[in-house]
Amino acid sequence: MTMIKAQHLAVSYGHGDTALKVVKDVSFEAQKGETFGLVGESGCGKSTILGALAGRNKQWTGSIEIEGETIGQKRTRAQLAKQQLVFQDPFGSIHPRHTIGRTLLEPLEIHGKDRRQERIEKVLTDVGLPLKFRYRYPHQLSGGQRQRVAIARALILEPKILLLDEPTSALDVSIQAEILNLLKDLREREKLTYILVSHDLAVVAHLCDRVAIMQSGGFVEIATRQQLLENTVEHPYTRILMDGSRGYVSEKRERNSAALPA
Amino acid sequence: MANTSDTILTVENMSVEFPTLTGVTTAVHDVSFTVGREKVGIIGESGSGKSTTGRAIMRLQPPQAIVKANRMQFEDVDLMTASEEEMRSIRGRRIAMILQDPKYSLNPVMTVGEQISETVILHERATRQEARNRTLAMLERVNIRDPERVFDLYPHEVSGGMGQRIMISMMLIAQPSLIIADEPTSALDVTVRQQVLTILDDLVVERNIGLIFISHDLNLVRSFCDRVIIMYAGRVVETITAADLDQAQHPYTRGLLNALPSLDRPKDRLEVLRRDPAWLEN
Ligand SMILES: Nc1ncnc2c1ncn2[C@@H]1O[C@H](COP(=O)(O)OP(=O)(O)O)[C@@H](O)[C@H]1O
Ligand SMILES: Nc1ncnc2c1ncn2[C@@H]1O[C@H](COP(=O)(O)OP(=O)(O)O)[C@@H](O)[C@H]1O
Ligand SMILES: [Mg+2]
Ligand SMILES: [Mg+2]
């Protein structure tokens, strides 16, 4: 079943003469349980696409369907609850002076949900945090624990889709591994569909079935996981990003003026 | 080829402590290493003491910090006894530092051209006009396409990649024998990162100087450096030739490698690091 279908999606910021189209005519879809990746360098429009899918960014044209339902610029509560965002920096997205419990309660109140304490306990367990953490403040948690809270908050409304914006970019590799494993488990257990934004193709290849490689607001290619792992991607820009994920590639042999002045 | 027998920096049993309200934090614990004419990576998780190590060599730690060592020798300079005045003449000239955000290293109220020119005048006793020409030439050297325009920009007007090139262009003039680069490319996009690294690589290899390259990126250090020092909780747990990183012995290093998703060796689940209290015993 198709969970997300975007066709000829274009997104802009600003109005009138200063309007700037930063996402230009992209089309993609994600099946239920699939993870679709968006990679590209900063400013290419990845977060903007997530914003449009989440209903945060309303200045878009084209069509968006979620679970077969055509979405307009205005959405109902239920439509908004279906997909939730998780950001790179949990410190920036979690209120620093609210306890974890209060942070998790808030969306439940906004959406008028019942059995609130029960839901909070379930979601803390789902993301692998002890129940007593609901009494803690963000600064009393490690970076990885804070990211678990951010995922818990996204999950508490029982969405079908998680929109993950660089969810591990601020974390050390050992903590990143824990979060990537958690995301894999949750996807399987809750039959979630993910859109994952990352600048690291190794992270994307780990989690995604297919990935769109973006450059200045457009897709240069949609590659499968298989293509990434077998190194059979088509676009040279994709290859550059893949090399980047492997580390430093000396350009020396390719340049003719290698020598510096004495 | 790097000649590692020619030692530029020797650090023996260095510790750095910060007195805090809740007791003393030992940020760096009894570390020893040498740097020759080579690229030495320092890798470890955030908080493992990498930046503190770099700053201690430059004697740039905050005043309350306590640095202890058996020996800290840079060329003919004893870094433990050198006066503050001597240190001022060493910093930027004989030991240079590149930070993640070049804006912290540049003077915000001077154009980048003026700042590079100052370096030229200082080091080459050039006239203003000569300094300007030399500055433009150096900007071109670090692959800045329109040096005339960049000359007149202020630090806040340049991108991260351009800022790092400007830092490197100053080093072409000052000719330090040791560069300490603390996460110099962590804020840069892949393509810009490759360009900046190439320029840095050229500078180090062709001037035959030493580089300490601090990073949290295993793949980057593996592919860019000659040797890698692995730090954990302020300690050096292992030092290894970069090309042999895959054969690392220490369980912490192995744990980091196995935690890393890889395009070349995909795995279904990533290994989660299990920290052993024994790693803190030394
Ligand atoms: N609120 C905004 N107003 C105006 N321009 C914006 C806004 N948010 C992002 N942009 C611009 O849109 C482009 C795409 O941004 P973004 O989607 O955040 O890129 P990415 O997530 O790929 O780094 C960038 O050029 C950015 O400067
Ligand atoms: N000025 C300071 N006062 C107290 N503790 C500090 C200070 N600077 C660094 N530290 C502590 O020293 C440890 C190492 O920090 P740092 O060298 O910045 O690590 P890294 O660069 O590897 O991320 C950390 O636990 C940090 O909190
Ligand atoms: Mg973004
Ligand atoms: Mg640091």
Side-chain angles (χ1 to χ4, degrees):
Chain A
M1 185 178 113
T2 307
M3 279 304 286
I4 304 171
K5 185 170 185 176
Q7 279 183 303
H8 305 294
L9 180 66
V11 193
S12 18
Y13 293 107
H15 295 273
D17 290 345
T18 60
L20 189 66
K21 193 186 273 190
V22 302
V23 172
K24 301 152 191 164
D25 191 19
V26 300
S27 300
F28 60 96
E29 49 182 80
Q31 303 301 314
K32 188 177 174 67
E34 188 184 357
T35 298
F36 186 80
L38 296 172
V39 291
E41 300 189 59
S42 54
C44 71
K46 307 180 293 294
S47 299
T48 301
I49 291 181
L50 293 193
L53 292 176
R56 288 189 158 215
N57 198 325
K58 297 180 183 68
Q59 257 176 278
W60 54 267
T61 58
S63 76
I64 298 177
E65 283 173 37
I66 305 286
E67 257 194 317
E69 183 184 19
T70 301
I71 295 294
Q73 264 74 4
K74 279 201 127 169
R75 299 194 206 189
T76 63
R77 280 254 160 85
Q79 285 175 332
L80 284 170
K82 263 188 196 168
Q83 61 283 306
Q84 294 293 316
L85 275 160
V86 176
F87 297 99
Q88 167 178 348
D89 175 16
F91 233 158
S93 60
I94 299 173
H95 198 294
R97 285 194 299 277
H98 289 179
T99 60
I100 304 313
R102 180 156 172 207
T103 290
L104 295 176
L105 185 64
E106 218 166 52
L108 295 176
E109 287 175 346
I110 293 171
H111 287 262
K113 297 281 185 185
D114 58 356
R115 298 180 290 115
R116 292 177 187 171
Q117 291 313 316
E118 192 184 317
R119 287 176 197 268
I120 289 173
E121 285 177 14
K122 176 175 186 304
V123 83
L124 282 171
T125 309
D126 282 345
V127 299
L129 289 176
L131 297 185
K132 61 173 193 281
F133 268 45
R134 73 175 100 171
Y135 306 113
R136 293 214 186 169
Y137 290 90
H139 72 266
Q140 295 171 313
L141 306 183
S142 69
Q145 289 167 340
R146 283 200 290 267
Q147 196 54 290
R148 285 177 194 266
V149 171
I151 293 169
R153 187 183 51 180
L155 288 176
I156 199 146
L157 293 171
E158 298 175 330
K160 302 274 172 67
I161 298 163
L162 284 192
L163 306 169
L164 303 157
D165 199 347
E166 305 261 10
T168 62
S169 300
L171 304 174
D172 280 317
V173 287
S174 60
I175 311 300
Q176 166 171 280
E178 291 177 21
I179 299 295
L180 292 179
N181 285 343
L182 171 68
L183 288 171
K184 261 198 174 178
D185 292 343
L186 288 169
R187 180 175 68 189
E188 211 155 286
R189 203 177 333 135
E190 313 288 328
K191 302 280 173 288
L192 290 165
T193 305
Y194 293 161
I195 306 281
L196 172 73
V197 164
S198 177
H199 64 275
D200 185 345
L201 266 171
V203 167
V204 164
H206 181 73
L207 219 53
C208 296
D209 306 289
R210 290 180 309 133
V211 50
I213 291 86
M214 288 189 72
Q215 201 174 21
S216 16
F219 290 175
V220 303
E221 163 172 23
I222 293 182
T224 63
R225 179 161 191 273
Q226 202 69 11
Q227 279 179 293
L228 291 178
L229 298 180
E230 288 171 358
N231 217 346
T232 54
V233 298
E234 307 207 326
H235 202 279
Y237 184 67
T238 313
R239 209 152 275 141
I240 290 175
L241 294 183
M242 289 177 68
D243 286 344
S245 160
R246 293 191 171 98
Y248 172 59
V249 186
S250 172
E251 293 172 26
K252 225 169 265 154
R253 266 157 244 107
E254 290 148 45
R255 287 177 311 147
N256 26 20
S257 63
L260 289 165
Chain B
M1 238 359 254
N3 176 6
T4 49
S5 63
D6 190 354
T7 304
I8 297 169
L9 177 76
T10 305
V11 174
E12 281 177 20
N13 309 96
M14 181 181 79
S15 294
V16 184
E17 296 172 355
F18 295 105
T20 65
L21 290 175
T22 50
V24 174
T25 307
T26 306
V28 175
H29 189 97
D30 201 22
V31 305
S32 301
F33 60 91
T34 60
V35 180
R37 304 189 183 279
E38 57 178 336
K39 290 170 281 181
V40 178
I42 300 184
I43 196 142
E45 293 170 285
S46 53
S48 59
K50 307 182 295 294
S51 297
T52 304
T53 300
R55 277 197 303 269
I57 296 164
M58 291 283 264
R59 289 251 308 261
L60 282 174
Q61 65 280 6
Q64 77 274 16
I66 302 160
V67 181
K68 296 178 193 155
N70 290 351
R71 185 156 171 249
M72 288 174 73
Q73 185 78 26
F74 164 69
E75 296 187 324
D76 58 341
V77 184
D78 181 345
L79 293 171
M80 299 185 67
T81 57
S83 68
E84 190 42 43
E85 199 181 324
E86 271 178 89
M87 287 311 297
R88 268 198 297 275
S89 76
I90 288 168
R91 285 186 209 117
R93 286 168 218 179
R94 296 178 61 187
I95 309 178
M97 202 158 189
I98 312 178
L99 302 175
Q100 179 169 341
D101 189 345
K103 287 185 189 85
Y104 292 121
S105 314
L106 294 166
N107 182 341
V109 297
M110 253 173 112
T111 68
V112 299
E114 284 167 349
Q115 294 186 55
I116 303 172
S117 295
E118 292 251 302
T119 311
V120 175
I121 291 166
L122 194 74
H123 286 271
E124 302 179 355
R125 300 202 167 73
T127 65
R128 284 253 150 233
Q129 188 53 48
E130 285 164 355
R132 183 184 166 86
N133 292 334
R134 184 103 165 95
T135 297
L136 293 173
M138 287 305 111
L139 288 173
E140 250 175 84
R141 262 282 150 226
V142 293
N143 293 343
I144 287 175
R145 268 187 222 101
D146 40 0
E148 297 272 354
R149 186 182 66 85
V150 172
F151 190 100
D152 292 321
L153 297 180
Y154 286 90
H156 72 268
E157 296 174 308
V158 306
S159 66
M162 177 100 72
Q164 297 304 38
R165 284 168 213 237
I166 289 163
M167 292 304 297
I168 295 170
S169 74
M170 288 187 180
M171 293 179 190
L172 287 169
I173 296 157
Q175 309 205 20
S177 39
L178 178 64
I179 297 175
I180 300 172
D182 192 348
E183 307 267 5
T185 60
S186 302
L188 305 180
D189 275 320
V190 178
T191 49
V192 181
R193 185 175 88 183
Q194 297 285 5
Q195 291 159 7
V196 168
L197 288 172
T198 301
I199 295 165
L200 190 58
D201 195 13
D202 285 352
L203 171 66
V204 172
V205 172
E206 287 166 34
R207 294 279 164 87
N208 197 27
I209 63 178
L211 172 70
I212 296 177
F213 188 87
I214 295 171
S215 175
H216 64 277
D217 187 334
L218 282 152
N219 284 331
L220 187 56
V221 167
R222 184 212 309 259
S223 50
F224 184 69
C225 295
D226 302 308
R227 280 194 308 136
V228 187
I229 295 169
I230 297 109
M231 285 188 77
Y232 176 75
R235 289 139 172 98
V236 172
V237 295
E238 188 165 15
T239 302
I240 192 166
T241 303
D244 298 336
L245 193 62
D246 281 334
Q247 278 91 57
Q249 293 302 314
H250 196 280
Y252 174 67
T253 319
R254 298 227 54 82
L256 285 186
L257 288 167
N258 292 335
L260 210 58
S262 159
L263 284 171
D264 304 309
R265 269 156 301 170
K267 41 206 158 191
D268 182 45
R269 290 190 76 73
L270 301 167
E271 192 173 295
V272 171
L273 187 71
R274 268 177 251 294
R275 290 159 207 276
D276 186 339
W279 300 347
L280 302 178
E281 287 163 15
N282 86 23

